[in-house]
Amino acid sequence: MRDGGAEDRGPQGRGPSGRTGRRLGPSTTRAAISTAALHEFAASGYEGASVRSIGRLAGVDPALIAYFFGSKRGLFDEVTRLPIEAPQVVSLVLDGERAAVGRRLARVVLETLADARNRAAMLALLRSASHDRETATLIRLAVVGDVLMPITTALDVADAELRAELAMAQISGFIFARHIIEVDAMGASDLDRLTTALGGILQHCLTAPVGN
Amino acid sequence: MRDGGAEDRGPQGRGPSGRTGRRLGPSTTRAAISTAALHEFAASGYEGASVRSIGRLAGVDPALIAYFFGSKRGLFDEVTRLPIEAPQVVSLVLDGERAAVGRRLARVVLETLADARNRAAMLALLRSASHDRETATLIRLAVVGDVLMPITTALDVADAELRAELAMAQISGFIFARHIIEVDAMGASDLDRLTTALGGILQHCLTAPVGN
DNA sequence: GTCTATAAGCAGATAGAC
DNA sequence: GTCTATCTGCTTATAGAC
């Protein structure tokens, strides 16, 4: 993974054809940059990662990033796009008994986190939101607006908006604690246990009486 | 506040004595830097804030920061020190009926957040933890280790460590959602309502059955 | 106590050679 | 498709004038 997903290719490397110069066939450089960028953005956030560090990790000249993706921002946007359809998540969470809605939401979150690529994208977004209002707005609209608000509205509870926001707080705090602060017990717990714990809290956020 | 808390003093400004050069009496520059740094670190995190931007906000030459605080790191450490005694918080939260332990913890959090200086320090720490392992470790030790773990241990519940970590997740997520993502309903809710909502969730984290 | 000047380095972006 | 070289502007830190 350290070599960025591209085949080994030093500055003087030569392809299977034995010729020097550009490789025959489709270039793998774009994918190498993409993979390296995901790692760097996930590890350091948007500002922390540099075009140069990404190029280094991908084993590629930094100038190629501008060539393929236009700019650092263009690369970030492309690489952090989650393959998640909000309406699909909403119906998946709502479909079933009301008492397990928190658990189903927790399962979606943890299953998404289990995939290395998705986890990297989510970490990149979370880390970047701290410094980048654009990313913060994206989270507010995409997570609260498109997923959680529709869920709380459909559940027909009081304070739908506040509940959706509290659920978002718990989900982002969970990822923060587990993957950024790297607390011990969360790291050591298996998926079932975490699903139960997070599911219970989310169930409380979404449906428990909250007023006063 | 824009002038950093120091009195107006342009490059050619002169003090009440009418003389040019350094002001008589104790310097206010150190406090001006401290105030400006808190704002900048809270708004942008450790990496996002620069010595120059802090100096500009304080109306002070950036070189003075090194003079007074040794380095950028020294300034950060001094300015983000919370005036909070862990043992005091622990006993405050534990003192009273068990059914309201979550609410008392929520009140401590929200009262700390209500003070502008403390809120800035907490935001600076939260924003910086995303990029800075040193800060992340500090949070793990100080918040989970010194405050929340003692609480869950004293409550004598199962999974004390996991509960403490989940409570930390909720608290940090709450601050993240309210002050970084800036969600609507949380911003519009009054303190009582937020105390009740956060308190209910924390009560669940700390004492509700979680096992399976 | 305060400032200017400068060192040494890294950032993102781009023009143009190959 | 790839790379070298460079532009411009930023960063932290420090030496020394006043």
Side-chain angles (χ1 to χ4, degrees), chain B residues 40-145:
Chain B
E40 287 290 290
F41 285 135
S44 314
Y46 181 77
E47 305 239 317
S50 73
V51 171
R52 287 164 140 88
S53 70
I54 293 167
R56 211 179 305 130
L57 180 60
V60 140
D61 192 280
L64 294 176
I65 288 168
Y67 177 76
F68 281 111
F69 298 91
S71 67
K72 184 186 181 184
R73 183 91 232 169
L75 174 59
F76 180 82
D77 289 343
E78 177 151 334
V79 121
T80 54
R81 210 161 337 148
L82 283 172
I84 284 182
E85 294 302 319
Q88 191 181 326
V89 173
V90 171
S91 58
L92 190 75
V93 170
L94 287 174
D95 183 35
E97 47 175 352
R98 188 188 176 91
V101 65
R103 187 183 178 89
R104 289 193 297 273
L105 178 56
R107 201 206 304 278
V108 171
V109 171
L110 286 164
E111 276 174 0
T112 307
L113 275 174
D115 177 78
R117 209 190 169 289
N118 289 338
R119 182 172 63 249
M122 291 171 83
L123 279 176
L125 288 169
L126 193 60
R127 281 204 156 97
S128 303
S130 291
H131 302 292
D132 191 31
R133 290 189 80 87
E134 216 174 313
T135 307
T137 301
L138 181 82
I139 292 179
R140 190 171 63 243
L141 296 179
V143 179
V144 181

Side-chain angles (χ1 to χ4, degrees), chain B residues 116-178:
Chain B
R117 209 190 169 289
N118 289 338
R119 182 172 63 249
M122 291 171 83
L123 279 176
L125 288 169
L126 193 60
R127 281 204 156 97
S128 303
S130 291
H131 302 292
D132 191 31
R133 290 189 80 87
E134 216 174 313
T135 307
T137 301
L138 181 82
I139 292 179
R140 190 171 63 243
L141 296 179
V143 179
V144 181
D146 292 347
V147 177
L148 296 172
M149 267 291 282
I151 290 176
T152 53
T153 303
L155 287 173
D156 197 29
V157 287
D159 310 304
E161 191 174 6
L162 184 59
R163 285 170 188 278
E165 293 174 4
L166 287 166
M168 190 277 273
Q170 175 59 41
I171 292 168
S172 54
F174 181 90
I175 302 172
F176 180 77
R178 188 179 176 207

Side-chain angles (χ1 to χ4, degrees), chain A residues 141-165:
Chain A
L141 297 178
V143 179
V144 181
D146 291 348
V147 176
L148 296 172
M149 268 290 283
I151 290 175
T152 53
T153 304
L155 286 175
D156 197 29
V157 285
D159 311 303
E161 192 174 6
L162 184 59
R163 286 170 187 278
E165 294 175 3

Side-chain angles (χ1 to χ4, degrees), chain A residues 36-198:
Chain A
L38 200 49
H39 280 84
E40 286 291 289
F41 284 136
S44 315
Y46 180 76
E47 306 238 317
S50 73
V51 171
R52 289 166 141 88
S53 70
I54 293 167
R56 210 178 307 131
L57 180 58
V60 141
D61 192 279
L64 294 176
I65 288 169
Y67 176 76
F68 281 110
F69 297 91
S71 67
K72 184 186 179 184
R73 183 92 231 168
L75 174 59
F76 180 82
D77 289 343
E78 177 151 335
V79 122
T80 55
R81 212 164 335 151
L82 284 172
I84 283 181
E85 295 302 321
Q88 190 181 326
V89 173
V90 172
S91 58
L92 190 73
V93 171
L94 287 174
D95 183 35
E97 47 175 351
R98 188 188 176 90
V101 65
R103 187 185 177 88
R104 288 193 297 273
L105 177 55
R107 201 205 308 277
V108 171
V109 171
L110 287 164
E111 276 174 0
T112 306
L113 275 174
D115 177 79
R117 208 189 171 289
N118 289 338
R119 183 173 62 249
M122 291 172 84
L123 278 176
L125 288 168
L126 192 60
R127 282 205 155 96
S128 303
S130 291
H131 303 293
D132 191 32
R133 291 188 79 87
E134 216 174 313
T135 307
T137 301
L138 180 82
I139 291 178
R140 190 170 63 243
L141 297 178
V143 179
V144 181
D146 291 348
V147 176
L148 296 172
M149 268 290 283
I151 290 175
T152 53
T153 304
L155 286 175
D156 197 29
V157 285
D159 311 303
E161 192 174 6
L162 184 59
R163 286 170 187 278
E165 294 175 3
L166 288 166
M168 190 275 274
Q170 176 59 43
I171 292 168
S172 53
F174 181 89
I175 301 172
F176 180 76
R178 187 179 177 207
H179 293 105
I180 294 178
I181 302 294
E182 294 179 341
V183 292
D184 300 328
M186 274 190 191
S189 300
D190 62 37
L191 211 65
D192 253 16
R193 183 189 184 72
L194 289 176
T195 307
T196 302
L198 180 59

